[in-house]
Amino acid sequence: MSPLSLAQSAICPAMHAHGQFLTLDLAEQTTPPAALAALARLAEQLDHWAAAAPALRNCWAIGIGAEQWSTLLPTAAPRELAPFPALADAVQPLAIQTHTAFVHLRSEAFDQCYLAGQQALAALEGALVLTESTAGFRYLDSRDLTGFVDGTENPAEDERPEVALVDDDGAFNGGSYLHVQRYVHDMRKWQQTPLGTQERVIGRSKQDDVEMADEDKPASAHIARVVIEEAGEELEIVRQSMPYGSLGGEAGLIFLSYCKTPTTFSKMLTRMFTRRDGHSDQLLHFTRAASSSAYFMPPRAMLASWAL
């Protein structure tokens, strides 16, 4: 079977209008089998939720925290499973957190994401407790709140399974390594920055989304930091990020990286957050990581196998 046929449904599709992101931890007195069974029940419910509104492209994915995997599933683990990369020389705190589970909900309608979130909390009651919930939305023509198009480097939709899904790890084939970061933007500082400076920070033109020529692009531009070539091939991840925010409150980007290996994200993160080659990402002067965590999103059949 192809990895895509084994995978959870939210990993590879093109962007939706709305997303809901739930971070969860074990409830007191909960046993690992009970928590896993609750996640299996939730998966079944979310299948029904998705099937009930096909026109809205509802889809979902559930993952287990990298640091918590051995507690919940001590017998076997994905081959490359690792905690979120801790960079001792980071130019800014990464705010690394460890959590038990993560639920990613996607739809073309906000109310559908909210409905699925309600169903998730009900299904997990007594087993897992919600620690953070973030509602994301598509902003204008798929732009970040900075006004620049986001996800420009994403692979084409038909190429995403090859990038995002594990295909050489036995029972874990169809799974994906997920890294999640919630960034808080300093919108006032950004909005006061001249357009030309903004474009040099990103490495692209703002209005028409044209990448700067290599000779014009600063080495510290965001694009220059995260676009990495090895042996003539560009390293890729599948980004499923979305803006979030409240008027007068925090606003920014909830960044999601799905990949068949965690090493690609780790290399990008290192180039963003350290000066090991003399440069770091200038975008970090305008945003900060409020949280960072790592998960593995198992294949769909593995989720089902956790049912009691």
Side-chain angles (χ1 to χ4, degrees):
M1 299 179 70
S2 70
L4 183 59
S5 68
L6 303 171
Q8 299 185 59
S9 59
I11 297 173
C12 292
M15 190 176 190
H16 288 66
H18 296 278
Q20 191 76 36
F21 309 90
L22 308 178
T23 303
L24 302 131
D25 286 322
L26 278 177
E28 292 185 14
Q29 310 300 321
T30 301
T31 64
L36 294 173
L39 291 171
R41 289 194 300 272
L42 173 59
E44 185 175 1
Q45 291 183 20
L46 291 176
D47 275 343
H48 293 301
W49 165 73
L56 297 176
R57 301 174 56 229
N58 293 354
C59 56
W60 58 272
I62 296 170
I64 302 295
E67 297 87 349
Q68 302 300 319
W69 187 279
S70 61
T71 299
L72 272 64
L73 295 151
T75 57
R79 185 169 56 236
E80 296 187 72
L81 188 67
F84 193 95
L87 304 175
D89 54 345
V91 298
Q92 177 190 110
L94 286 161
I96 296 173
Q97 300 179 358
T98 61
H99 296 290
T100 303
F102 185 81
V103 178
H104 183 191
L105 305 169
R106 303 175 59 180
S107 178
E108 296 299 336
F110 172 79
D111 59 348
Q112 286 290 313
C113 284
Y114 188 81
L115 172 64
Q118 287 180 310
Q119 293 176 353
L121 296 185
L124 300 175
E125 186 174 4
L128 292 142
V129 293
L130 182 70
T131 54
E132 185 171 77
S133 174
T134 303
F137 53 87
R138 184 170 57 218
Y139 181 63
L140 303 176
D141 52 338
S142 299
R143 293 177 183 259
D144 178 57
L145 296 181
T146 58
F148 284 78
V149 174
D150 187 50
T152 305
E153 300 297 329
N154 253 351
E157 191 169 359
D158 62 349
E159 298 172 352
R160 292 182 182 190
E162 183 178 355
V163 173
L165 303 178
V166 175
D167 59 6
D168 63 351
D169 196 10
F172 298 102
N173 286 352
S176 189
Y177 295 92
L178 172 66
H179 293 90
V180 180
Q181 292 185 283
R182 184 171 68 84
Y183 284 94
V184 179
H185 295 349
D186 187 336
M187 293 305 302
R188 177 174 294 182
K189 182 178 180 181
W190 180 256
Q191 290 163 354
Q192 292 174 346
T193 300
L195 175 61
T197 302
Q198 290 185 1
E199 292 180 335
R200 288 190 294 275
V201 167
I202 301 297
R204 288 183 175 273
S205 60
K206 189 171 188 177
Q207 181 62 36
D208 51 7
D209 190 38
V210 175
E211 186 171 349
M212 288 181 175
D214 289 345
E215 59 269 23
D216 299 326
K217 188 191 312 169
S220 57
H222 178 64
I223 295 298
R225 304 314 296 163
V226 300
V227 175
I228 305 171
E229 288 192 4
E230 292 186 352
E233 295 289 331
E234 185 176 321
L235 300 183
E236 292 186 299
I237 59 175
V238 172
R239 297 166 176 83
Q240 295 291 9
S241 312
M242 298 192 93
Y244 74 92
S246 60
L247 297 175
E250 286 188 340
L253 184 76
I254 182 159
F255 173 86
L256 275 71
S257 162
Y258 284 105
C259 196
K260 65 195 302 179
T261 171
T263 60
T264 301
F265 171 80
S266 181
K267 290 176 180 180
M268 293 179 179
L269 185 78
T270 299
R271 284 179 55 83
M272 281 184 66
F273 275 82
T274 73
R275 295 194 179 97
R276 295 179 189 179
D277 65 352
H279 304 280
S280 60
D281 194 331
Q282 290 303 294
L283 186 57
L284 296 178
H285 289 294
F286 302 92
T287 192
R288 62 178 175 85
S291 63
S292 301
S293 50
Y295 304 87
F296 186 76
M297 317 302 274
R300 180 67 182 82
M302 184 174 290
L303 266 175
S305 73
W306 298 342
L308 293 177

